């Protein structure tokens, strides 16, 4: 999705600043590792973990209230990714400025550990096997995916990404393939060439050696307009629950006209292109955050000052909703999250940064169900156990 995926997060910080806000090879087991998705705790409320620049808000999403605010110490510099749930019960969050992953113990709750990496985490995912978990960490400017053993904190290697940046990463449900977007927002506009989607295969040697990543295909994204080929920048990516379809949110060479490129995962070819219709009165239409609902029917797209866009993957129909509250005079939607039962959440901040927010919508009707405000705390990401987030 964009995390303080630097391409995302960088744009977010630039947006907030413009608006006057704060300046802000795993040792293999017998089977291939699987992407990890924590399940909600039985018998308790559905919890959410909303990430700001230096803190995490622990939320009861059933009662829609804040339970706790975990503020990082001096070691927490700039939280830059959505939270990921580890097999050890910890929650991991990237920090681009500190160059590593922070571990938060939700039982404390408190930041309890730090895993340094040789790069600036822009996004990451966790693979888990029967023996040891490994984090696949995108190093944005280094154009690499770093492999880090979560238990030993040991670097296991790196794989170059065939593109101008390593922006977002998504893992197929069977854990056998990784998809990386390469949108580099720091390049001058217009972009002269596509920033492609890169597919990497997860390889576990039969001799029990460390897991590695092997390039599978580089897939440039283009559109034809009046006989001209328009390059697109692959920004955000998610995979269907059966692993057959890959959805890539991309913008054109002027970072406008967002579209969703639908990729056949077996052939690694684009089979459909779905325009993201933000309406005739779209404001600042640049978007690059996407998440697919657990039932594979709906794409949630954070559309910044336009609100939250929902796209039906079968019809391509797009509906746009804006958070509403007397104190949300100009809301900016930074992130989108689906809960384990299809609950839909948008996170962001108002122009000027006076309030951050988490808003729950009914994904079928678009009706706003709940809103939670956080004074002077822009919120960038929301992680929910068992859910889907960018």
């Amino acid at each position: 999705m964009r995390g303080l995926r630097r391409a995302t997060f960088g744009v977010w910080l630039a947006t907030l600043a413009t608006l006057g806000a704060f300046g802000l090879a795993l040792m293999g087991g017998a089977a291939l590792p699987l992407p990890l998705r924590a399940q909600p705790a039985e018998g308790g409320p559905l919890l959410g973990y909303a990430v700001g620049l230096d803190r995490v808000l622990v939320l009861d999403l059933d009662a829609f209230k804040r339970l706790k605010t975990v503020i990082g110490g001096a070691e927490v510099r700039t939280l830059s990714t959505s939270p990921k749930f580890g097999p050890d019960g910890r929650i991991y969050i990237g920090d681009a400025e500190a160059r590593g992953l922070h571990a938060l113990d939700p039982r404390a709750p408190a930041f309890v550990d730090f895993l340094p990496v040789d790069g600036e985490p822009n996004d990451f995912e966790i693979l888990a096997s029967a023996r040891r978990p490994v984090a696949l960490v995108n190093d944005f400017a280094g154009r690499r995916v770093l492999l880090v053993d979560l238990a030993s904190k040991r670097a296991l290697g790196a794989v170059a990404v065939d593109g101008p940046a390593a922006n977002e990463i998504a893992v197929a449900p069977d854990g056998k393939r990784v998809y990386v977007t390469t949108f580099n927002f720091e390049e001058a506009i217009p972009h002269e060439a596509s920033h492609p989607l890169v597919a990497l295969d997860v390889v576990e040697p039969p001799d029990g050696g460390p897991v590695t990543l092997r390039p599978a295909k580089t897939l440039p994204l283009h559109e034809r307009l009046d006989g001209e080929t328009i390059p697109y920048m692959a920004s955000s990516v998610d995979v269907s629950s059966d692993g057959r379809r890959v959805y890539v949110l991309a913008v054109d060479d002027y970072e406008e006209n967002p579209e969703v490129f639908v990729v056949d995962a077996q052939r690694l070819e684009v089979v459909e292109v779905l325009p993201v219709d933000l309406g005739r009165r779209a404001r600042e239409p640049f978007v690059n955050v996407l998440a697919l609902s657990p039932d594979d029917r709906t794409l949630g797209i954070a559309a910044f000052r336009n609100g939250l866009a929902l796209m039906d993957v079968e019809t391509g129909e797009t509906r746009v909703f804006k958070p509403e509250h007397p104190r949300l005079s100009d809301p900016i939607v930074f992130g989108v999250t689906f809960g384990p039962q299809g609950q839909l959440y948008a996170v962001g901040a108002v122009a000027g940064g006076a309030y951050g927010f988490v808003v729950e919508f009914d994904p079928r009707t678009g009706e706003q169900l709940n809103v939670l405000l956080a004074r002077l705390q822009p919120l960038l990401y929301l992680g929910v156990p068992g859910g889907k987030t960018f």
Side-chain angles (χ1 to χ4, degrees):
M1 281 149 239
R2 287 178 166 204
L4 195 129
R5 311 242 163 99
R6 186 169 165 196
T8 294
F9 184 75
V11 173
W12 291 350
L13 286 183
T15 301
L16 285 174
T18 299
L19 294 170
F22 343 109
L24 309 166
L26 166 71
M27 297 306 296
L32 279 169
L34 300 177
L36 191 68
R37 183 168 300 150
Q39 298 302 311
E42 295 184 5
L46 179 64
L47 299 180
Y49 300 88
V51 178
L53 296 178
D54 65 349
R55 64 198 60 202
V56 175
L57 277 58
V58 184
L59 309 178
D60 177 341
L61 294 176
D62 291 336
F64 228 77
K65 64 180 181 180
R66 186 192 314 200
L67 299 177
K68 180 80 174 181
T69 299
V70 184
I71 300 177
E75 72 282 358
V76 176
R77 307 292 292 278
T78 306
L79 298 177
S80 58
T81 74
S82 55
K84 312 291 181 176
F85 300 92
D88 52 4
R90 294 178 171 185
I91 299 171
Y92 292 87
I93 307 171
D95 188 326
E97 188 176 354
R99 300 173 67 89
L101 306 179
H102 296 287
L104 186 149
D105 184 345
R107 294 162 295 190
F111 290 99
V112 294
D113 206 353
F114 180 73
L115 289 72
V117 302
D118 183 26
E120 299 180 13
N122 198 59
D123 189 18
F124 73 100
E125 290 290 347
I126 297 174
L127 296 177
S129 73
R131 296 181 63 180
R132 303 179 74 88
V134 61
L136 306 178
V137 184
N138 277 8
D139 176 16
F140 179 84
R143 300 185 296 175
R144 304 176 298 167
V145 178
L146 311 173
L147 292 85
V148 181
D149 186 308
L150 287 183
S152 68
K153 306 182 186 181
R154 184 168 61 93
L156 303 175
V159 177
V161 171
D162 185 15
N167 190 358
E168 236 185 78
I169 186 169
V171 183
D174 63 4
K176 296 182 179 181
R177 179 167 287 166
V178 172
Y179 301 94
V180 179
T181 62
T182 64
F183 171 53
N184 184 350
F185 80 101
E186 293 180 337
E187 281 192 3
I189 297 175
H191 299 282
E192 296 182 357
S194 167
H195 294 186
L197 175 73
V198 175
L200 305 166
D201 288 333
V202 179
V203 180
E204 184 175 27
D207 61 2
V211 166
T212 59
L213 299 179
R214 178 178 61 201
K217 187 172 183 178
T218 298
L219 185 61
L221 306 178
H222 300 100
E223 273 277 83
R224 296 284 294 175
L225 179 63
D226 297 330
E228 182 181 1
T229 299
I230 308 298
Y232 270 70
M233 316 298 118
S235 150
S236 187
V237 59
D238 207 349
V239 189
S240 63
S241 59
D242 61 8
R244 296 181 180 180
R245 287 288 185 268
V246 182
Y247 297 92
V248 186
L249 184 62
V251 291
D252 69 11
D253 51 343
Y254 282 88
E255 298 184 358
E256 298 174 341
N257 300 314
E259 296 186 329
V260 174
F261 289 76
V262 185
V263 176
D264 182 297
Q266 183 175 9
R267 293 181 289 153
L268 288 177
E269 296 177 357
V270 175
V271 294
E272 191 174 9
V273 180
L274 305 172
V276 180
D277 183 5
L278 298 178
R280 298 179 61 184
R281 298 182 181 275
R283 302 174 62 190
E284 302 169 359
F286 176 83
V287 296
N288 74 343
V289 175
L290 166 150
L292 179 64
S293 63
D295 63 7
D296 293 331
R297 295 180 179 179
T298 305
L299 291 169
I301 300 169
F304 293 101
R305 297 178 80 175
N306 299 291
L308 173 68
L310 296 182
M311 175 183 286
D312 185 307
V313 299
E314 293 296 328
T315 67
E317 178 186 2
T318 302
R319 299 171 294 156
V320 182
F321 309 101
K322 293 201 71 171
E324 296 181 354
H325 188 275
R327 290 175 177 159
L328 300 184
S329 57
D330 190 2
I332 308 168
V333 176
F334 290 151
V336 56
T337 297
F338 288 97
Q341 304 303 321
Q343 304 96 324
L344 175 63
Y345 308 97
V347 299
V350 299
Y355 290 93
F357 62 80
V358 178
V359 175
E360 181 181 9
F361 290 95
D362 184 323
R364 296 164 299 177
T365 66
E367 177 188 2
Q368 181 171 305
L369 303 177
N370 290 293
V371 60
L372 182 147
L373 301 182
R375 186 187 300 272
L376 298 177
Q377 298 172 60
L379 299 176
L380 305 177
Y381 320 98
L382 175 68
V384 180
K388 296 284 295 292
T389 190
F390 68 90

